[in-house]
Amino acid sequence: MKTNIRFFYLWPVITWLAFSCTQEKDVELKVLQLNVWVNAARVEGGEKGLVDVIDRTDADVVLLCELYAGENETPLMQKVIDALAQRGKTYYGDGCNLPVGILSKYAPEEVSAFMPTPKEVCYRPVVKAHITVNGRTVAVYSTHLDHQNYAPYLSRGYSSVTWTKMDAPVTDPDSILIANRIAWRDETIRGFIRDARSETARGRLVIIGGDFNEPSHRDWQADTKDMRDHRGAVVPWDVSQMLEQAGYVDAWRRFFPNAVTHPGFTWPAGNEAARLNDLFAAPDADERDRIDFIYYYPQPGVALNDIRIVGPAASVDHGKITPEQTDDVILEPACTWPSDHKGNLATFRIAPQPDAAPPCPEKKLTFAFLTDIHLNKANGRDCYNGFKQALERAKSREPEFLVFGGDLVDINMGEQLSRKEADSMYTVFKQAVEQTGLPYYPAIGNHDRYFDAENGCPNGDEVFNAHLGGHSRYTFERQGVHFFVLNSVQHTDAGDLCIGAEQMEWLKRELVHVSLAVPVVVVQHVPVYSQYYPVVEAKFGSWDVVCNFKEELHLFREHNLKLVLQGHQHIHEEMWLQEVQYITGGAVCAGWWNGPFHGTEEGFLMVHVDAAGEFDREYVDYGWMAK
């Protein structure tokens, strides 16, 4: 069943009904989002049509993209402001001379722009404006994400790069995601989430709208896999997952959760005023999708009252304008439609509540990170007792599991031990840990390796693997946090420590299955970054960090890498670089069971993750004393 409202006639009634349901102290805020299709110039009368749409929806805030003006042209936003003024409506507008902009009935207190992507490869800025509504600060963002590498075409049998027809469709979700991540959409959204963090922390309403050039994972699930030429593909699209993980709400799906009955198509719009061949790229496919969005961050005193699709009550399907046969509520303009997209019109109710920091998010995950234990023969029972004390102290802090950062044992201490002695030290380690009753995840360190080529241990990892789970690199997930435990003590031909080539290929394959929204933690023995020895000791050894850390980090470029836990140095060191925290976790043994090492007492880390996916940590000196 199709629901279609010509808002030119009914909008006053809708507005009255909305106000009648609100308290007098609340204020309504209507937000319109629209791609104006190359300055509203691709349709004859498109500029006037845009003014008509804004006038008739009476939106309080308008988020626009595809604003392109020549050097000697009056910007489209200024033309729209002037035209609306002639109709008795005052709007303020600023796009910082960028392709995205914001119009508002509320005079903005501050307008700024930022570029989350490298300008030379993807010119996709984000514009932000602060407005005050009912005494509350609202941060509104307008964006237009990268249009290249449009991966929804793949299941429809078209190239995501050239948009030409292929010999066969691609329906494997991993292959679709690999193609999708070549684009710079996720980088823009991650930049937005980072910028908006201070806004949400103050209790401010944050709204972002734009043409995302990527569907929602909510629209490509099992119930739609055999519809709209998805051809069985269930695709966990990245941008929508990233926003949900950060706490943002998809306004359309908040009101209409069923993607079968309410698909909310926004592209391609069935615009009768445009040239048909300009409206589509895949004439032999059903390319209809929802790629234009309004998201918001929920706050106390803010409610989403309503959302509508604005635009023609038709889309383009297999190269033909086709009337919608859905239950979508569409506000169809009684004017020239200026775009090849449809827009969103969301109505919020805002109570007069002052900005305030919300309560601290509850912790959802706590674990202990213990590194550099160095159980050995030379120190005898004393190191075993010290390790037990550390484990008891860690368990008393009620972690859900333990993570070990390598150098669990000292297989050689400068002397080659027998295989039997190596096995015995691993047995002692396992017995001590398993007495805690906690799950545990160990990484391999350089002192954990046992080399005996003649008796089947040529790589050094075999004894570790035999005792501790079968492989020195693996991955696991806990409470929505994804962990990669890596073997950082492999060798280059020159003898430097590294993440080996085979392991890098494994890591690349594994990352395909990890949503870009999921917080990621990397655990490895040899640091990715460390500045202690270069700064304090004025030296840098080839074993102080993995030599191919740049290549390793590049694999995580698009992912939500939050934390790298590392060991090896026996010092407690913390660094922040590009929103990633690197922590060298001290050492359970401190100075090899002979007191503090360069000022770092024997200890371990407690790591806490809150419901928003943010990490906190504390270094615990467990108070061991040599006997």
Side-chain angles (χ1 to χ4, degrees):
M1 174 183 175
K2 176 179 69 171
T3 305
N4 173 26
I5 300 176
R6 289 188 174 271
F7 64 72
F8 181 61
Y9 303 105
L10 297 183
W11 184 253
V13 177
I14 296 169
T15 303
W16 180 83
L17 287 172
F19 269 116
S20 70
C21 295
T22 63
Q23 301 178 21
E24 289 184 0
K25 66 179 181 179
D26 294 348
V27 168
E28 194 176 68
L29 180 73
K30 287 186 288 183
V31 180
L32 173 66
Q33 169 275 323
L34 183 62
N35 178 324
V36 301
W37 200 14
V38 193
N39 238 29
R42 296 295 299 273
V43 176
E44 185 176 350
E47 189 176 305
K48 180 180 181 300
L50 175 60
V51 174
D52 288 341
V53 170
I54 296 172
D55 184 15
R56 293 170 185 181
T57 58
D58 198 33
D60 300 297
V61 174
V62 186
L63 308 176
L64 301 175
C65 66
E66 288 205 20
L67 303 171
Y68 306 113
E71 291 184 7
N72 299 318
E73 294 181 33
T74 301
L76 177 63
M77 289 225 309
Q78 188 58 54
K79 293 179 183 180
V80 171
I81 290 170
D82 294 343
L84 289 167
Q86 292 178 5
R87 303 185 186 192
K89 293 188 175 181
T90 300
Y91 280 84
Y92 304 88
D94 197 339
C96 301
N97 296 317
L98 294 169
V100 290
I102 299 171
L103 291 173
S104 172
K105 288 183 178 180
Y106 296 89
E109 299 158 22
E110 180 183 358
V111 179
S112 59
F114 57 94
M115 185 78 65
T117 59
K119 186 174 181 180
E120 64 273 14
V121 296
C122 181
Y123 187 56
R124 296 293 177 176
V126 179
V127 171
K128 173 174 74 169
H130 286 121
I131 59 175
T132 299
V133 181
N134 210 11
R136 301 183 63 159
T137 302
V138 180
V140 289
Y141 293 77
S142 183
T143 188
H144 185 194
L145 304 189
D146 186 5
H147 70 286
Q148 301 179 89
N149 300 285
Y150 186 70
Y153 276 155
L154 292 173
S155 76
R156 286 144 176 168
Y158 284 78
S159 167
S160 60
V161 178
T162 63
W163 302 357
T164 56
K165 196 169 183 179
M166 302 185 299
D167 294 336
V170 176
T171 58
D172 172 55
D174 289 348
S175 299
I176 293 173
L177 284 178
I178 289 171
N180 187 63
R181 290 172 183 174
I182 299 172
W184 292 81
R185 292 181 280 271
D186 51 288
E187 286 86 353
T188 299
I189 289 302
R190 183 160 287 121
F192 154 72
I193 293 171
R194 185 167 55 244
D195 185 87
R197 196 171 292 147
S198 63
E199 309 287 353
T200 59
R202 297 177 186 179
R204 294 173 173 175
L205 173 60
V206 172
I207 300 170
I208 181 171
D211 172 5
F212 285 9
N213 278 309
E214 182 177 310
S216 167
H217 69 288
R218 296 288 177 191
D219 300 348
W220 282 63
Q221 296 190 0
D223 54 357
T224 60
K225 68 181 178 65
D226 298 317
M227 305 174 69
R228 302 155 198 159
D229 283 348
H230 293 190
R231 291 190 170 92
V234 176
V235 183
W237 297 104
D238 293 314
V239 164
S240 55
Q241 289 199 106
M242 292 168 66
L243 287 164
E244 277 195 17
Q245 179 73 25
Y248 289 84
V249 175
D250 175 346
W252 180 260
R253 281 286 162 254
R254 167 66 179 82
F255 250 64
F256 304 112
N258 190 326
V260 174
T261 60
H262 294 82
F265 301 131
T266 64
W267 192 86
N271 188 350
E272 297 281 1
R275 289 180 66 249
L276 178 59
N277 287 346
D278 291 340
L279 294 175
F280 60 85
D284 295 329
D286 182 353
E287 56 188 312
R288 295 174 297 170
D289 254 317
R290 186 170 65 103
I291 62 174
D292 301 82
F293 299 88
I294 291 176
Y295 277 84
Y296 68 98
Y297 193 91
Q299 297 283 12
V302 175
L304 176 68
N305 260 13
D306 186 49
I307 184 166
R308 308 293 168 100
I309 298 296
V310 183
S315 296
V316 180
D317 179 7
H318 287 81
K320 297 179 181 179
I321 293 179
T322 305
E324 302 290 13
Q325 298 296 324
T326 69
D327 291 340
D328 288 339
V329 180
I330 302 173
L331 302 181
E332 185 180 10
C335 61
T336 298
W337 185 246
S339 181
D340 57 342
H341 288 246
K342 303 177 192 181
N344 292 273
L345 181 67
T347 305
F348 297 90
R349 190 178 73 245
I350 300 179
Q353 182 172 321
D355 299 344
C360 294
E362 294 183 1
K363 294 174 182 175
K364 72 171 185 178
L365 181 66
T366 296
F367 64 93
F369 175 64
L370 303 92
T371 187
D372 293 87
I373 294 103
H374 288 276
L375 290 180
N376 59 74
K377 282 178 54 180
N379 197 266
R381 296 290 297 176
D382 211 11
C383 68
Y384 176 68
N385 290 329
F387 182 39
K388 284 188 64 177
Q389 185 177 344
L391 290 171
E392 289 167 0
R393 182 71 185 279
K395 185 177 180 179
S396 73
R397 306 297 292 269
E398 299 185 346
E400 295 175 40
F401 56 93
L402 308 174
V403 177
F404 291 94
D407 281 2
L408 317 176
V409 299
D410 254 330
I411 279 183
N412 53 22
M413 283 296 289
E415 299 178 3
Q416 183 65 48
L417 301 183
S418 68
R419 173 64 186 268
K420 182 178 180 180
E421 290 172 308
D423 285 333
S424 69
M425 276 192 281
Y426 273 111
T427 299
V428 168
F429 172 83
K430 285 181 63 178
Q431 288 175 343
V433 175
E434 290 172 359
Q435 284 176 5
T436 67
L438 294 169
Y440 65 99
Y441 303 91
I444 190 171
N446 51 296
H447 284 260
D448 297 318
R449 296 173 299 173
Y450 179 81
F451 293 97
D452 187 356
E454 292 182 1
N455 294 295
C457 296
N459 298 318
D461 304 346
E462 290 81 2
V463 179
F464 176 94
N465 294 344
H467 285 274
L468 297 173
H471 214 292
S472 58
R473 46 95 173 137
Y474 56 95
T475 180
F476 66 96
E477 189 162 324
R478 285 276 187 156
Q479 295 287 92
V481 179
H482 205 97
F483 292 77
F484 283 92
V485 181
L486 302 181
N487 181 342
S488 60
V489 294
Q490 297 174 318
H491 286 101
T492 66
D493 292 340
D496 296 332
L497 296 177
C498 70
I499 306 293
E502 182 275 334
Q503 185 177 192
M504 293 284 270
E505 287 300 316
W506 167 84
L507 181 56
K508 188 184 301 183
R509 292 192 302 271
E510 288 294 320
L511 281 168
V512 172
H513 305 293
V514 179
S515 165
L516 300 191
V518 171
V520 172
V521 176
V522 169
V523 180
Q524 62 187 63
H525 181 65
V526 179
V528 174
Y529 286 141
S530 176
Q531 287 298 311
Y532 182 81
Y533 288 104
V535 172
V536 177
E537 300 287 318
K539 66 180 183 180
F540 190 85
S542 62
W543 279 30
D544 287 340
V545 298
V546 288
C547 65
N548 59 341
F549 65 87
K550 183 176 180 181
E551 292 81 0
E552 177 187 354
L553 290 177
H554 181 75
L555 295 183
F556 290 96
R557 176 181 66 86
E558 295 174 317
H559 284 79
N560 191 19
L561 179 59
K562 306 287 285 189
L563 177 64
V564 176
L565 294 173
Q566 48 198 28
H568 191 53
Q569 306 286 37
H570 290 226
I571 57 171
H572 178 212
E573 177 185 36
E574 301 189 10
M575 292 184 294
W576 282 92
L577 290 169
Q578 297 178 326
E579 299 298 314
V580 179
Q581 189 171 21
Y582 300 83
I583 304 180
T584 308
V588 171
C589 73
W592 288 270
W593 301 106
N594 287 305
F597 184 75
H598 290 261
T600 297
E601 298 282 353
E602 64 290 324
F604 57 86
L605 284 174
M606 292 298 300
V607 182
H608 312 284
V609 190
D610 66 28
E614 296 302 314
F615 288 71
D616 192 16
R617 78 283 165 266
E618 55 181 319
Y619 188 73
V620 179
D621 176 357
Y622 64 90
W624 173 81
M625 293 182 64
K627 296 181 180 179

